[in-house]
Amino acid sequence: MFEMPVISKNEIRTCYSFAEKAWENRSQSLQQFGTDEARTREAFLADQISGKLAELLFKKEIEQKYTGIAVHLDFQHYLDPLHTDNGDVTIIENGLPSPLRLDIKGSSNLAQWLLVERHKFWDLQSGKPMADQYVMVKFSNEMPSNPMLRKNPEHILTLEQVSGEIVGWAKHTDFISNKDNAPWFSFKRGERLIHSQFLPRTLSYPDDIKHLNNYINKLKDSKQATCIYIGPKLDAILNLGMPIKWLSKDFDALLLR
């Protein structure tokens, strides 16, 4: 029987210490969501802590579900802050490392979207994919919200534990319409997300982007909705988005088994 993975107080401290050292060594990008703006120390720590907690939950869940698989996390600090070529984690099966590049995203328990910033989706120089697959981990409600953590990252140290689970994943190609060769959803800086109730239930439903937009508009009219948007305005220059309800839950396929 599956039990939601739990991160202990000591493990939380390890993730916090990693974030502090990354700030001191400038071993991770100091820019705000790929913009030219510098993150504050608090925002930087919050983002690094959330990322490492999500990776640790991913590791615990995969190792709980699969005998013979180990997930190695990278707590090293690099001189190049854009050292992301090999993904966030390394999958080891029967002693052999997988070439699969995974990007692990942590989110609140209320999130409806998996979002990937432009610079983490495409290499901005070559245009090549930055990861093969994107995995979404939802934190349980004891996890401070992103705005709260960015205001006071030290708050995470008051928690006895943090739990969460993988809610789904998508291939790099899933974000792109085959017929249009363009993202299904892209959100520019200052835009807001669409409420999932106005979207098809599955990725397989829309034939192309025009079909998708017609569906959204038709549903909006049928519900007589004055606004279909949720959440705050986005900070990143460009986000590629995938509704959580479109994500795959086939972990065997995720691990290419």
Side-chain angles (χ1 to χ4, degrees):
M1 183 177 178
F2 172 71
E3 295 182 4
M4 185 179 290
V6 174
I7 297 174
S8 69
K9 194 174 186 68
N10 285 340
E11 290 170 325
I12 292 172
R13 164 59 71 177
T14 297
C15 294
Y16 182 89
S17 297
F18 170 85
E20 274 195 319
K21 190 171 182 180
W23 172 260
E24 293 166 1
N25 293 352
R26 302 302 194 262
S27 59
Q28 300 289 331
S29 174
L30 302 185
Q31 293 177 311
Q32 169 81 353
F33 298 120
T35 70
D36 292 331
E37 299 175 11
R39 281 182 285 185
T40 65
R41 175 183 177 276
E42 290 75 18
F44 178 91
L45 293 184
D47 294 343
Q48 296 299 316
I49 292 165
S50 295
K52 281 303 174 190
L53 291 176
E55 292 172 19
L56 190 50
L57 288 169
F58 173 85
K59 169 184 171 68
K60 287 174 177 281
E61 182 166 344
I62 292 300
E63 291 181 350
Q64 177 183 333
K65 288 180 174 178
Y66 290 95
T67 302
I69 286 187
V71 179
H72 288 188
L73 305 186
D74 188 356
F75 280 85
Q76 297 297 313
H77 296 276
Y78 299 94
L79 294 177
D80 179 3
L82 298 180
H83 181 94
T84 55
D85 289 345
N86 298 320
D88 289 339
V89 301
T90 301
I91 305 295
I92 308 293
E93 185 166 7
N94 298 322
L96 297 176
S98 166
L100 191 64
R101 297 176 304 159
L102 300 180
D103 189 339
I104 314 299
K105 301 292 186 184
S107 70
S108 80
N109 64 313
L110 301 176
Q112 297 183 16
W113 286 84
L114 168 59
L115 292 178
V116 183
E117 300 96 330
R118 178 185 62 175
H119 65 287
K120 293 187 176 181
F121 193 76
W122 292 299
D123 184 299
L124 298 184
Q125 294 184 337
S126 69
K128 294 181 179 179
M130 292 295 289
D132 301 309
Q133 294 165 181
Y134 296 86
V135 183
M136 187 161 190
V137 172
K138 268 194 177 185
F139 299 113
S140 54
N141 58 10
E142 76 245 356
M143 178 72 175
S145 67
N146 184 264
M148 181 185 298
L149 201 58
R150 281 179 145 231
K151 184 177 181 180
N152 178 23
E154 286 76 17
H155 177 69
I156 197 74
L157 298 175
T158 68
L159 303 183
E160 292 300 318
Q161 65 177 43
V162 171
S163 56
E165 62 181 329
I166 304 168
V167 295
W169 64 276
K171 294 181 291 185
H172 185 275
T173 52
D174 289 338
F175 288 79
I176 308 294
S177 164
N178 288 331
K179 290 190 177 180
D180 301 287
N181 195 29
W184 288 109
F185 298 98
S186 57
F187 300 97
K188 297 178 181 178
R189 187 174 191 176
E191 293 183 336
R192 299 169 66 204
L193 301 174
I194 301 171
H195 196 294
S196 62
Q197 68 173 309
F198 296 100
L199 303 175
R201 291 184 179 180
T202 67
L203 172 60
S204 61
Y205 175 78
D207 295 324
D208 52 32
I209 294 175
K210 181 179 179 181
H211 183 208
L212 173 63
N213 290 334
N214 287 341
Y215 177 95
I216 294 171
N217 291 330
K218 184 177 180 180
L219 199 58
K220 177 184 175 182
D221 292 340
S222 69
K223 292 178 177 289
Q224 297 183 334
T226 57
C227 181
I228 65 174
Y229 301 103
I230 58 171
K233 294 180 179 180
L234 299 174
D235 289 327
I237 293 176
L238 183 69
N239 283 292
L240 287 298
M242 179 69 67
I244 289 179
K245 64 183 183 179
W246 285 16
L247 300 179
S248 172
K249 299 188 186 317
D250 184 346
F251 293 148
D252 284 351
L254 166 65
L255 300 173
L256 300 181
R257 292 168 64 86

